[in-house]
Structure formats: C-alpha cells, structure tokens
Amino acid sequence: IDQPSGNLFSQRSFNDPTPIATNKLNPGNSYHLPGTSRTLTSSWSEGFPHYISTASDGSTTPKKHLSWDWRHLNNLRMGRYVAKVVMVYNDGQRDVPVIASYSFWVIPWKLILGVVVIGGLIITGLIAWVRLVLMGTKKVRNYARRR
C-alpha cells in the first residue's frame, strides 16, 4: 500500500523555470494498491474566468459553474500550456519517481465570441452613422442646388 505524492505544474513549456500554478497531487493522501490503477484529479482554479465547484444536492459529483471575477482579468489564460506531473510512488520494492507531461490549449471562446459580437455591433453602428451623415449632406446639397 502506498500514498503517491507529488505536484502538478501548469506552465507555458516543459522546461519553464517558474510554473504559472502548482497543485498538490493526491492532497487527500489516498492509498494506492500495487498492481492497480488509480485516477488522481486536479483542477486549475487560478485564472480568468475559472470554474468553481459547489456542493450538489444528493449527488456524488459536485456541480461546477463559471466564475467571472473581473478583479482577476490580468490572469486571463489563453494559448498553449503544459501540465507537468512530478510524483513519487512505491511499487512494493522501492520508490519510483515519475515525470510526465501533457500539452493542452486554453481558448476562452465565450470571451472571444463576446468581443467579436460587440465589435461587430460597434462597426455596424459606425457604418450606419456615417451613411446617415453622408445622406444628410447630400440632401443639403440638393436643397441648395434647387434654389
């Protein structure tokens, strides 16, 4: 029986000297039997926006909702990241160090979609305003020609 321990580092590339976030792996110190597999989960809760877990009524899995705390706008995460696990477990004979990584992309599509829609509305409004101004000056010119 073993208690695997280690850290999960979120960083821009595999060899970054300072990670963006560090999460403890197996914070509940759960046990692992040799020869079996166990899934350890961790969530990256730093950033803008981020998911917050809330207790659910009668269910074993907590519900998550997206939190838009605008004070953390400087922590906007976008682009390619690497999750690097550095951990140690015992295989029944000795301690075994493990280093593994997984690259992933963070694309805040809701935020991007909102910016595109608002930008489109602003551009459409400006075009309509310019057309209105130009039509108004044409009417003034036509009125002046008639006199």
Side-chain angles (χ1 to χ4, degrees):
I1 297 179
D2 183 38
Q3 291 177 309
S5 63
N7 291 317
L8 174 67
F9 301 102
S10 300
Q11 48 199 47
R12 281 290 186 176
S13 68
F14 185 80
N15 293 324
D16 270 353
T18 55
I20 296 169
T22 303
N23 293 352
K24 185 161 174 46
L25 201 60
N26 193 15
N29 294 324
S30 60
Y31 287 95
H32 175 82
L33 297 172
T36 63
S37 66
R38 164 140 324 180
T39 302
L40 302 172
T41 60
S42 178
S43 50
W44 187 13
S45 59
E46 299 168 7
F48 174 81
H50 67 275
Y51 282 100
I52 295 177
S53 296
T54 57
S56 58
D57 300 329
S59 177
T60 58
T61 58
K63 293 183 179 182
K64 293 182 179 181
H65 73 280
L66 199 57
S67 171
W68 294 83
D69 189 356
W70 292 94
R71 292 176 295 174
H72 299 290
L73 183 60
N74 61 338
N75 292 333
L76 177 65
R77 304 291 184 228
M78 184 183 313
R80 184 179 177 274
Y81 292 90
V82 174
K84 182 166 88 172
V85 173
V86 179
M87 67 176 284
V88 176
Y89 74 95
N90 190 309
D91 65 357
Q93 298 175 1
R94 60 184 169 82
D95 285 343
V96 179
V98 176
I99 297 176
S101 68
Y102 182 79
S103 64
F104 61 96
W105 283 83
V106 174
I107 302 172
W109 64 271
K110 289 180 182 179
L111 194 61
I112 292 172
L113 181 65
V115 168
V116 168
V117 167
I118 290 171
L121 289 173
I122 290 172
I123 290 172
T124 303
L126 286 174
I127 290 172
W129 180 74
V130 167
R131 284 185 179 173
L132 185 65
V133 168
L134 290 177
M135 289 186 145
T137 55
K138 284 182 184 178
K139 287 181 182 179
V140 169
R141 284 185 203 154
N142 289 338
Y143 180 74
R145 283 186 201 159
R146 283 191 228 159
R147 290 187 160 227

